[in-house]
Amino acid sequence: MAAFSHKAYTISATTALSTELNSLANNANCAASSAIDNTTNLDLEMEVELVLAAQGAARSTGAQVFLYIVRSIDGGSNYSDVLESINDIAATFTLDAATTARREVKSDIRIPPGFFKLYVRNATGQAFAASGNTIRYRTRQLQIV
């Protein structure tokens, strides 16, 4: 049976979301990122880094940030709405009940060929800080070994 292994990163870490996350209210979605073009590289996976600045009040027990993928099937002209009920969860970042800044990385996130966008839902129990929050990603190629 064939196995897959990491071949190469095809882009350096790139910021997908920043100001969209500023002061994002609890139980709210941010605006979608700019389009990410995977039509040439046809990468299968990506790594994503969430950076949250210190929040003004302690996060709830079981605080989470959900990352979603919004797809386009027509060459990047039209995308699904930014609604968690109709898009795929790409990653879940689970956080502690504290106010301190956090950095968390998720790997092996499957991505579609073509164009897609990212957005997050804040389920931390508190609004995000007014600045200093980001989602960065880098895509990678796999090889059969």
Side-chain angles (χ1 to χ4, degrees):
M1 178 181 216
F4 289 95
S5 71
H6 174 78
K7 181 177 180 182
Y9 290 106
T10 53
I11 62 170
S12 347
T14 302
T15 301
L17 298 167
S18 59
T19 58
E20 300 88 349
L21 303 177
N22 292 347
S23 302
L24 182 65
N26 182 52
N27 289 324
N29 298 334
C30 73
S33 68
S34 297
I36 298 169
D37 182 355
N38 192 26
T39 58
T40 301
N41 292 339
L42 297 174
D43 293 322
L44 294 175
E45 294 183 347
M46 69 179 175
E47 293 180 332
V48 175
E49 175 192 63
L50 167 70
V51 175
L52 286 184
Q55 290 175 266
R59 295 178 283 271
S60 300
T61 300
Q64 295 180 311
V65 175
F66 301 103
L67 177 73
Y68 289 87
I69 292 179
V70 183
R71 300 170 193 273
S72 172
I73 63 167
D74 65 358
S77 297
N78 297 291
Y79 291 86
S80 298
D81 293 326
V82 177
L83 298 170
E84 66 280 0
S85 60
I86 62 173
N87 292 298
D88 298 329
I89 292 179
T92 301
F93 300 91
T94 302
L95 304 164
D96 57 356
T99 60
T100 50
R102 290 290 178 251
R103 179 182 306 264
E104 191 173 332
V105 175
K106 296 289 182 180
S107 298
D108 305 329
I109 298 170
R110 299 289 296 196
I111 58 174
F115 292 89
F116 64 96
K117 296 180 178 186
L118 302 174
Y119 72 93
V120 301
R121 180 165 185 83
N122 173 5
T124 65
Q126 301 296 329
F128 288 168
S131 64
N133 309 294
T134 59
I135 289 281
R136 296 186 326 144
Y137 72 95
R138 65 180 178 176
T139 58
R140 66 181 181 183
Q141 295 178 342
L142 302 176
Q143 64 185 352
I144 297 175
V145 291

